[in-house]
Amino acid sequence: MSTVHPTVAEVTRRIVERSAATRGVYLERMAEQTHRGPARGRLACANLAHGFAATEPADKEALRRIVKPNLAIVSSYNDMLSAHKPFEDYPAQLKAAALGAGAIAQVAGGVPAMCDGITQGRAGMQLSLFSRDVIAMSTAIALSHDMFDAALLLGVCDKIVPGMLIGALSFGHLPAIFVPAGPMTSGLPNGEKSRIRQMFAEGKVDREALLDAEAASYHGRGTCTFYGTANSNQLLMEAMGLHLPGSSLVTPDTPLREALTAAAGARAAEVTALGDAYTPVGAVVDERAVVNGAVALLATGGSTNHTMHLVAIARAAGIILTWNDIADLSAVVPLLARIYPNGKADVNHFQAAGGMAFLVRSLLDAGLLRDDVATVAGPGLRRYTTEPYLDDGALRWRDGVHASLDTDVLRGVDDPFAPDGGLKTLSGNLGTSVMKTSAVDPEHRTVTAPAVVFDSQEAFLEAFGAGELDRDFVGVLRYQGPQALGMPELHKLTPALGVLQDRGFKVALVTDGRMSGASGKVPAAIHVTPEAAAGGPLSRVRNGDVITVDATVGTLSVDVAPADLDARSSTGQAPTNDEWTGTGRELFATLRASVGPADEGATIFRSAV
């Protein structure tokens, strides 16, 4: 057994110490919710009759006599979004698998699933981050009937998985297994897609050519194949022991994918309190698992969105994770994967090179991951160094590869792409932010230049189109934070920024908004907190102020004397409630008013528990 790396041990220790009170309250609450036998045994007769009224006679009798575990299926299915379309067939598969394992399964409820890829640059994007907390509440509603002994969570994309896990953790006494859908098969190479996007931004190709490229890239069922938040979710759930081993990146509509789905249903029946392998989700998601998730994210250059999502997930389990914890881990966790936008490969190439089994083995052997954790597959993360396969139609697991099959995509700890992780925390007199450095070449990680200030991404793109940004500058895009606009992703700016960098200009972005899991090659200090709408320093920056964005030493500063900066009045303002209307935005005004800062998870659930 490998010795735990000193930094991993120290970060885990201080998280445990910092979280002692809140984690203790959470565990006490979980214990109070744990009962001998199914909770439905305490339902009044009318309540119970409502719960099994629509079931088949045999299931009705089993639920009435409380002799079999009942599994809740909570699904994000819709047939518009490629990642969620595969879930259409899952309930029937899971019910059959549960029945074969001596259990019953019911579809307990659904959660909304929106696509940031569709809403980029649109008003609907301003609801995206808030949808995570709505999903958490929707999951809680689905599980609120006291009819269930475990949960099967069908979620994939950006806000859906974190939201479902936060909701499930409020029922921490129940086991929960995530059942993924997998990525679509590879289409147009990501580098070619990026090239055509930049050409369109420069006016060198028309909309039809751009649409042809996008349609060739996003072409079928399953998640988008680049390494954004959706696929970061899948890696995170596996590294935290909430998927079956090796199930994250198996493509849809294949016999292996179907076998893994059935196996998840069967395993959920085995880990309820009615059996001998009881594994509640509140015990799986502990301080060690949270650190494991952060390490795996850093080692692969995963989505910056998880600097908020993982913090919010941890807090739902009573665990206080900070950006400093993530930064300290990033300093010792090497970058082991090159997946677009960090490289040319997609997640299918990562899977073919050895995938999660090789990644987990490398990090465990180096002491960077903790093996001493609970998982839905059983005790110990070492189980996740195996990969699933079919043996004459039967699902089995075998030892994963011990050496990468493509070192351009995936490497071991002894030969990393970079000595540190793919995320960096930047701090200074403009606040605290994060940057995805894994996609930014070292020569572009430090920029000192005059500020050009914008209060909307439309204004930025208008200035770009008018040729006003052909120079060295730091773009300050503010009033994009949770309290201002719900913290929309600003990925629509990526092609324009890439064009300017390719023209030889030193450019960077500073924003209290998000830049998505697909943050690219231009340095972007994002999630700046305190945000402008909360009176943060960004609200007082003026055009021409010299700003330094330095991802090498981790600083974000403006060259203005502290007294002068503090004495300035705000030079802009967030939209008022009267302006924040249309596309359903007015329905979310209460969330905007109560949301917390980015470094605390940007959540409306302000308490750590």
Side-chain angles (χ1 to χ4, degrees):
M1 180 178 293
S2 300
T3 302
V4 176
H5 189 284
T7 299
V8 173
E10 169 57 22
V11 170
T12 306
R13 184 204 61 77
R14 74 188 188 209
I15 293 173
V16 170
E17 184 176 285
R18 182 191 308 134
S19 309
T22 51
R23 179 65 173 171
V25 170
Y26 176 80
L27 293 174
E28 287 177 9
R29 192 176 72 201
M30 187 176 76
E32 289 171 0
Q33 294 174 319
T34 304
H35 304 284
R36 296 185 67 84
R40 61 184 176 276
R42 286 170 299 284
L43 292 177
C45 292
N47 303 61
L48 185 57
H50 274 84
F52 61 58
T55 59
E56 296 299 319
D59 290 348
K60 187 175 294 187
E61 183 65 16
L63 288 170
R64 179 185 181 120
R65 302 301 174 196
I66 316 176
V67 295
K68 291 183 178 181
N70 189 25
L71 314 179
I73 300 171
V74 184
S75 178
S76 61
Y77 164 72
N78 63 59
D79 66 5
M80 177 186 69
L81 303 181
S82 63
H84 305 277
K85 172 67 172 176
F87 289 143
E88 182 175 14
D89 305 323
Y90 276 35
Q93 296 175 39
L94 291 168
K95 287 182 179 184
L99 186 64
I104 302 161
Q106 294 179 293
V107 176
V111 303
M114 67 178 293
C115 177
D116 292 2
I118 295 174
T119 56
Q120 285 290 346
R122 313 294 300 174
M125 171 57 79
Q126 296 172 22
L127 307 184
S128 173
L129 183 59
F130 289 143
S131 77
R132 181 196 64 193
D133 292 1
V134 172
I135 290 162
M137 292 185 283
S138 300
T139 301
I141 290 170
L143 298 176
S144 68
H145 298 94
D146 277 342
M147 286 288 296
F148 305 109
D149 303 290
L152 290 159
L153 304 174
L154 279 53
V156 175
C157 282
D158 296 20
K159 314 306 171 299
I160 294 91
V161 166
M164 293 179 101
L165 182 51
I166 291 168
L169 284 167
S170 68
F171 291 78
H173 62 295
L174 294 179
I177 297 179
F178 275 87
V179 190
M184 68 178 72
T185 55
S186 299
L188 184 73
N190 287 300
E192 178 66 7
K193 176 184 67 178
S194 179
R195 185 184 70 83
I196 293 173
R197 283 178 174 175
Q198 286 201 186
M199 290 179 67
F200 178 77
E202 294 179 275
K204 295 179 179 179
V205 299
D206 62 13
R207 176 181 168 83
E208 194 67 20
L210 177 64
L211 185 56
D212 284 345
E214 299 289 357
S217 180
Y218 309 118
H219 63 89
R221 287 158 54 112
T223 64
C224 309
T225 59
F226 69 88
Y227 191 40
T229 309
N231 286 313
S232 294
N233 281 338
Q234 305 316 298
L235 180 145
L236 204 66
M237 291 303 97
E238 189 156 338
M240 293 176 70
L242 291 163
H243 277 173
L244 292 183
S247 64
S248 298
L249 299 177
V250 176
T251 53
D253 306 315
T254 61
L256 182 57
R257 176 83 275 162
E258 293 175 4
L260 285 164
T261 299
R267 182 60 181 168
E270 296 172 350
V271 296
T272 73
L274 297 178
D276 298 326
Y278 178 46
T279 311
V281 66
V284 173
V285 181
D286 67 2
E287 296 90 343
R288 293 164 297 182
V290 167
V291 170
N292 278 351
V295 167
L297 187 74
L298 292 164
T300 52
S303 171
T304 53
N305 282 325
H306 278 296
T307 61
M308 293 180 297
H309 295 329
L310 189 55
V311 168
I313 289 166
R315 291 197 172 222
I319 299 164
I320 303 174
L321 175 72
T322 71
W323 283 358
N324 284 336
D325 296 328
I326 297 173
D328 287 352
L329 291 170
S330 185
V332 300
V333 174
L335 183 66
L336 304 184
R338 285 286 190 201
I339 320 170
Y340 184 84
N342 310 331
K344 296 180 179 180
D346 65 26
V347 294
N348 293 316
H349 301 128
F350 169 80
Q351 176 79 344
M356 286 299 297
F358 177 76
L359 178 76
V360 171
R361 181 188 307 280
S362 298
L363 293 170
L364 278 173
D365 289 349
L368 293 165
L369 285 178
R370 301 286 295 256
D371 184 39
D372 55 337
V373 292
T375 81
V376 298
L381 195 65
R382 186 67 62 173
R383 296 170 183 272
Y384 288 75
T385 64
T386 63
E387 60 183 20
Y389 71 104
L390 293 178
D391 180 11
D392 196 22
L395 179 63
R396 306 189 191 285
W397 276 265
R398 62 191 171 201
D399 202 25
V401 299
H402 287 244
S404 172
L405 301 179
D406 186 346
T407 55
D408 290 334
V409 179
L410 179 61
R411 295 183 182 179
V413 172
D414 56 345
D415 181 31
F417 291 102
D420 53 8
L423 297 175
K424 187 85 173 182
T425 299
L426 282 61
S427 298
N429 63 354
L430 285 178
T432 302
S433 68
V434 296
M435 182 187 292
K436 183 172 183 174
T437 57
S438 54
V440 180
D441 288 340
E443 63 266 28
H444 296 306
R445 293 182 184 177
T446 300
V447 175
T448 298
V452 183
V453 182
F454 303 95
D455 290 348
S456 73
Q457 59 182 322
E458 292 79 14
F460 180 100
L461 292 171
E462 287 174 8
F464 170 75
E468 298 171 3
L469 299 180
D470 286 334
R471 53 193 166 107
D472 294 352
F473 73 97
V474 174
V476 175
L477 182 52
R478 60 198 183 171
Y479 298 107
Q480 308 297 306
Q483 293 182 32
L485 283 181
M487 210 176 192
E489 287 186 350
L490 307 170
H491 186 47
K492 194 173 181 179
L493 305 183
T494 299
L497 288 164
V499 167
L500 294 168
Q501 183 173 278
D502 287 351
R503 289 175 180 170
F505 300 113
K506 293 184 71 66
V507 296
L509 180 71
V510 176
T511 180
D512 48 13
R514 295 183 291 130
M515 201 59 181
S516 96
S519 299
K521 62 187 181 182
V522 175
I526 60 177
H527 307 176
V528 174
T529 184
E531 64 174 290
L538 284 190
S539 67
R540 299 186 292 279
V541 174
R542 297 173 180 169
N543 285 320
D545 288 344
V546 176
I547 291 178
T548 295
V549 179
D550 190 334
T552 302
V553 298
T555 58
L556 174 65
S557 60
V558 60
D559 188 14
V560 176
D564 293 342
L565 186 62
D566 291 342
R568 289 181 179 179
S569 299
S570 296
T571 54
Q573 68 174 29
T576 65
N577 280 342
D578 288 340
E579 296 170 311
W580 204 60
T581 58
T583 322
R585 286 176 290 179
E586 61 274 15
L587 302 177
F588 289 74
T590 301
L591 278 70
R592 184 171 71 143
S594 59
V595 69
D599 59 346
E600 294 180 11
T603 177
I604 63 171
F605 310 127
R606 302 300 294 275
S607 168
V609 290

